[in-house]
């Protein structure tokens, strides 16, 4: 077996993936592991290489399950801070575990708790707390002992199909609880410099570098340099990040294997250049080995200065493994070396498997290892007859450019499914953008940055000059990226691919590369076992799969005859997707932070859900009323989806959020319809939508009161066959009374509970007329408003009506053919 590490790594990955989705008892796993290793060590087994490899792979499969289970499901000690969640504010004391992560809106610090401070003294405590706080005057740093007052909560997910499991992501880092500081008086510094002395020294040097960059560069260049050298990319302005993302160059902003690899490559190049000066050195030593050995030093320096974050450590391990492979003369065994790097990283931190940067880095490198040698041979195949004749300078340049193009295309196509899966987009200008940014940032800005690191301890003036030089070239890159991202068609939106689509995509790429390899006449040993007929059949089968998949997805919705309505889990807010017969879709409200926070529900919750459902355009977007918890998420939807109409109640709220909403409607050329009870029923695909609220007089009066704004919510009754749904926005008792007194037809099978289950809504007279069989409450887990109110739940229990809640059930989907109803929840059991 020439590459034994590959099946072992595959087995480890399978074990980690299995353990991630299911918790297994540790004791049987340990017993199984011991038995398998005993069989491996038995003399009778040693002779059978295939059997040995199978047993080793099985052992690593079990190890993967055990490792991720211990990382995600270990039972916290009795002193752990997680046992303090669900109560009021408490005072904690602890040490800052790492430098804060800064952003334009505030900062996040990880605190290792030591004690809980009470009136009668302190109690020992432990565990990591992720603490969010605003930008305050004193910048906390690693090693500071701080005392703070906060209410702890467990991290929560937005429980919709395909959503990011944020809770598990934090668990993989050992973080089980979160806290928030809104008032600077709730956090104080007790002592400084109590962390590890070596790490504290590194952090002081990082602070010095940060200061030199800030004093000698301007926005956004200084944020770019800080990201490249210190790994602090969250301070980069959002418009700049968006431009890099739209051009497929955002990878340059986050320290990855590309950056560490460039540091290693430049170090090797410089050492080789020096050694070439002396013939004695070239004769006495293996130049490549010496250069690779020395390159370890700048790689480690860069890793420490970059903050030793998870992604930095992972990238460093990856490059160090490749350097060691050169030292032991295994540099040609690239696939085995890559497998070894993955094995080490996943054994140290199994949760890395689910990190986006890990997947993108390894898939890009694996694609290059597999495909670039084939393309290189293909480039040279046309001149086999004149191979003795050396290439001219022009020929060398052309070949180098072609190889660069092949490398870029290979990396792009190799990571395309992952980019579509995580980011739902694809840059059409990725190749020219990377052709500008990678050389400038990687071969100019980054080396100058390394010189800044080297010179800063000796000469601040020289370091400042180098920062200015790096900023100049960074500015050129930023200008080019802004230009390319502004061009029409520079970025295409993609739906979220399914797992079978991703697998078949990669199989198709493999088949294509093998075909090209066969065409060159230099078939690799691994591909010899695949017959030409098998490859042809596989190629045809994969093409048929994609053709069927395309036509199925294209026509599936067009032939839909059912009405499907989903209450999306957006936390404490409201958002409802209506999927009409015939493939048309509507979105009612977009969720948002009730307190006007900056978390973009539209970008991180709603849009990913819509793309997963293969929805790219909406017949109508409905805003029931302009409060942030219903409006905020709609801005991202209007920017990134094709919307035909927007329905509102006409309330021109005096807020920046609403003004931006109107601006987007105008810029996108969307039809804006103002609706009230006098609006004629709207019929779409056999579904009739009635507007029951607000009353027509609302258009002629100014409303500034919070409750009046709620009572002016659009109320929609959606009728399909014999089944009716009532969507009520945030109306309270006053609006409910008006609907009852005017004799509006509000009888419905499904009621979307008014005002998230607030006490002043869902009055008994209103419910007695609606008489719903199903009631849906859209609210956030452990929300500060304590909704739904217990009295409201009692009223629904008395009807009786089956109550579903997004805080307990996640996304709630109701399907009807106009006669019968069926309900499906994302979470089968309440949290």
């Amino acid at each position: 077996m020439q590459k034994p590490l590959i099946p072992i790594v595959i087995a480890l990955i399978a074990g980690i993936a299995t353990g991630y989705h299911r918790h297994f008892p540790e004791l049987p796993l340990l017993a199984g592991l011991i038995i398998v290793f005993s069989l491996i060590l038995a003399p009778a087994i040693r002779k059978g290489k295939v059997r040995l490899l199978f047993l080793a792979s099985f052992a690593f499969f079990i190890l993967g399950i055990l490792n991720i289970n211990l990382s995600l499901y270990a039972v916290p000690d009795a002193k752990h801070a997680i046992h303090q969640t669900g109560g009021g504010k408490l005072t904690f004391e602890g040490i800052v575990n790492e430098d804060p992560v800064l952003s334009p809106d505030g900062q996040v610090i990880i605190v290792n708790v030591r004690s809980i401070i009470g009136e009668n003294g302190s109690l020992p405590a432990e565990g990591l707390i992720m603490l969010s706080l605003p930008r305050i005057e004193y910048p906390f740093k690693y090693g500071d002992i701080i005392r703070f007052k906060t209410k702890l909560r467990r991290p929560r997910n937005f429980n919709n199909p395909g959503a990011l499991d944020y809770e598990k992501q934090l668990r993989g880092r050992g973080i089980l609880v979160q806290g928030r500081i809104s008032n600077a008086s709730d956090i104080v510094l007790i002592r400084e410099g109590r962390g590890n002395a070596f790490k504290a020294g590194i952090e002081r040097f990082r602070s010095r570098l940060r200061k030199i960059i800030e004093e000698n560069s301007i926005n956004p260049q200084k944020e770019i340099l800080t990201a490249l050298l210190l790994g602090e990319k969250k301070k980069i302005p959002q418009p700049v990040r968006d431009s890099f993302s739209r051009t497929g160059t955002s990878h340059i902003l986050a320290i990855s294997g590309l950056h560490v690899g460039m540091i290693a490559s430049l170090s090797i190049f410089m050492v080789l250049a020096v050694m070439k000066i002396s013939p004695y050195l070239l004769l006495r030593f293996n130049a490549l080995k010496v250069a690779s050995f020395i390159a370890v030093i700048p790689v480690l320096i860069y890793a420490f200065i970059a903050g030793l974050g998870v992604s930095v450590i992972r990238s460093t391990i990856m490059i160090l493994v490749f350097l060691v492979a050169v030292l032991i003369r295994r540099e040609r065994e690239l696939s085995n070396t890559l497998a070894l790097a993955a094995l080490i990283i996943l054994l140290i931190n199994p949760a890395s498997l689910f990190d986006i940067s890990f997947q993108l880095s390894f898939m890009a490198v694996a694609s290059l290892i597999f495909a670039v040698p084939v393309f290189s041979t293909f480039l040279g195949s046309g001149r086999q007859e004149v191979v003795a004749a050396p290439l001219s300078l022009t020929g060398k340049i052309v070949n180098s450019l072609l190889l660069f193009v092949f490398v870029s295309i290979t990396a792009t196509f190799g990571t395309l499914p992952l980019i579509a899966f995580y980011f739902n987009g694809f840059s059409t200008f990725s190749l020219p953008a990377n052709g500008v940014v990678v050389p400038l940032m990687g071969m100019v800005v980054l080396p100058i940055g390394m010189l800044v690191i080297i010179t800063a301890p000796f000469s601040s003036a020289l370091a400042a000059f180098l920062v200015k030089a790096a900023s100049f070239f960074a500015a050129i890159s930023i200008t080019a990226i802004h230009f390319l991202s502004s061009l029409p068609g520079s970025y295409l939106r993609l739906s979220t691919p399914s797992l079978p689509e991703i697998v078949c995509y990669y199989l198709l790429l493999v088949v294509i590369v093998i075909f090209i390899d066969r065409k060159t006449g230099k078939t690799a040993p691994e591909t010899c076992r695949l017959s030409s007929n098998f490859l042809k059949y596989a190629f045809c089968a994969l093409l048929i799969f994609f053709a069927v998949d395309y036509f199925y997805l294209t026509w599936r919705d067009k032939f839909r005859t059912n009405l499907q309505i989903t209450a999306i889990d957006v936390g404490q807010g409201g958002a409802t997707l209506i999927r009409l017969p015939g493939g048309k879709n509507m979105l009612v409200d977009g969720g948002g932070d009730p307190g006007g926070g900056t978390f973009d529900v539209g970008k991180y919750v709603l849009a990913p859900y819509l793309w997963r459902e293969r929805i790219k355009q909406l017949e109508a977007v409905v805003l029931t009323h302009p409060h942030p918890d219903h409006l905020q998420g709609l801005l991202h939807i209007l920017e990134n989806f094709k919307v035909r109409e927007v329905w509102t109640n006409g309330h021109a709220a005096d807020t920046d959020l609403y003004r931006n909403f109107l601006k987007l409607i105008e810029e996108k050329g969307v039809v804006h319809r103002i609706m009230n009870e006098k609006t004629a029923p709207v019929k779409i695909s056999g579904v009739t939508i009635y507007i029951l609220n607000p009353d027509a007089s609302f258009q002629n009066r100014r409303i500034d009161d919070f409750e009046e704004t709620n009572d002016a919510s659009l109320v929609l009754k959606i009728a399909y066959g014999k089944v009716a749904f009532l969507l009520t926005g945030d109306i309270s008792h006053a609006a409910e009374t008006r609907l009852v007194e005017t004799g509006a037809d509000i009888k419905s099978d499904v009621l979307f509970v008014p005002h998230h289950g607030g006490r002043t809504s869902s009055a008994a007279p209103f419910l007695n007329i609606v008489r719903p069989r199903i009631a849906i409450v859209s609210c956030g887990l452990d929300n500060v408003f304590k909704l739904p109110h217990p009295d409201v739940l009692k009223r629904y229990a008395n009807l009786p009506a089956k109550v579903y809640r997004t805080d307990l059930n996640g996304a709630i989907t109701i399907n009807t053919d106009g006669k019968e109803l069926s309900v499906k929840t994302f979470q089968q059991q309440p949290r």
Side-chain angles (χ1 to χ4, degrees), residues 64-308:
I65 297 176
L66 184 62
N67 208 357
I68 193 70
N69 274 192
L70 291 174
S71 176
L72 296 180
Y73 306 113
V75 179
D77 188 86
K79 294 185 294 184
H80 198 284
I82 195 171
H83 301 297
Q84 307 301 326
T85 57
K89 283 189 174 183
L90 295 173
T91 301
F92 299 90
E93 190 171 292
I95 185 169
V96 178
N97 207 49
E98 55 189 61
D99 265 10
V101 176
L102 304 177
S103 69
D105 307 311
Q107 56 185 308
V108 175
I109 57 177
I110 308 299
V111 183
N112 196 341
V113 177
R114 292 181 170 183
S115 60
I116 302 173
I117 311 298
E119 294 179 357
N120 301 321
S122 63
L123 296 173
E126 63 183 36
L128 298 178
I129 296 177
M130 176 180 277
L131 198 61
S132 301
L133 54 154
R135 287 291 189 95
I136 54 179
E137 186 176 345
Y138 186 86
F140 295 108
K141 60 185 181 302
Y142 167 76
D144 287 347
I145 293 180
I146 59 174
R147 186 173 293 177
F148 56 95
K149 189 174 184 180
T150 189
K151 178 182 177 181
L152 295 184
R153 63 179 180 85
R154 297 172 184 249
R156 66 144 295 177
N157 295 325
F158 292 96
N159 289 285
N160 302 304
L164 170 70
D165 197 332
Y166 181 62
E167 183 180 356
K168 277 189 179 178
Q169 190 181 69
L170 290 183
R171 272 183 171 269
R173 296 170 55 190
I175 300 169
L176 305 183
V177 286
Q178 293 176 301
R180 179 179 292 275
I181 302 290
S182 54
N183 192 333
S185 63
D186 285 337
I187 182 168
V188 293
L189 174 69
I190 304 297
R191 288 185 297 278
E192 295 182 90
R194 295 293 174 172
N196 176 275
F198 177 73
K199 186 175 179 180
I202 293 293
E203 292 301 339
R204 283 195 297 272
F205 184 59
R206 280 165 50 83
S207 296
R208 183 177 178 182
L209 286 175
R210 192 180 297 113
K211 184 178 180 181
I212 292 173
I213 293 171
E214 288 177 353
E215 290 177 350
N216 296 279
S217 187
I218 59 173
N219 296 330
Q221 289 92 296
K222 70 178 179 182
E223 285 84 4
I224 297 290
L225 292 179
T226 304
L228 288 176
L229 299 184
L230 304 179
E232 299 171 357
K233 69 172 186 174
K234 287 201 172 182
K235 290 194 289 185
I236 299 173
Q238 191 61 49
V240 177
R241 279 193 276 178
D242 289 342
S243 292
F244 275 82
S245 178
R246 289 177 62 86
T247 53
T249 54
S250 56
H251 59 89
I252 203 73
L253 301 178
I255 293 177
S256 63
L258 173 67
H259 303 73
V260 183
M262 284 184 168
I263 295 295
S265 300
L266 288 166
S267 303
I268 291 172
F269 175 79
M270 291 175 66
V271 172
L272 289 175
V274 171
M275 291 187 70
K276 285 180 180 179
I277 298 174
S278 170
Y280 170 78
L281 291 176
L282 290 175
L283 292 172
R284 181 71 177 82
F285 301 101
N286 184 311
L288 184 58
K289 282 190 175 184
V290 172
S292 299
F293 181 77
I294 294 176
V296 171
I297 299 172
V299 165
L300 290 176
I301 291 174
Y302 182 58
F304 279 106
I305 299 304
L308 284 179

Side-chain angles (χ1 to χ4, degrees), residues 100 137 215-216 313 333 336 489 496 639 760 780:
E137 186 176 345
E215 290 177 350
N216 296 279
I313 294 174
E333 299 178 12
N336 232 21
T496 306
E639 282 183 310
T760 59

Side-chain angles (χ1 to χ4, degrees), residues 372-432:
V372 169
V374 175
F375 288 134
S376 300
T377 306
F378 190 68
L379 277 176
S381 63
R383 57 183 191 89
Q384 290 173 355
E385 297 167 0
V386 289
V387 72
L391 281 174
S392 64
L393 178 61
T394 303
K396 289 179 179 179
I397 293 173
V398 170
N399 257 20
S400 297
L401 288 174
L402 286 174
L403 188 59
F404 172 78
V405 171
F406 276 132
V407 167
S408 299
I409 291 174
T410 299
T412 299
F413 278 91
T415 56
L416 180 58
L418 297 178
I419 291 171
F421 185 84
Y422 288 111
F423 304 109
N424 297 104
F426 172 68
S427 171
T428 56
F429 291 146
S430 176
L431 187 59

Side-chain angles (χ1 to χ4, degrees), residues 565-600:
I565 299 183
T566 300
I568 304 169
D569 179 11
V570 290
Q572 186 56 35
T576 306
L577 175 66
I578 303 171
R579 307 198 71 171
L580 300 158
K584 292 183 178 180
N585 304 289
M586 295 175 61
L587 181 65
V588 179
D589 291 331
D593 189 328
T598 58
F599 178 75
D600 194 337

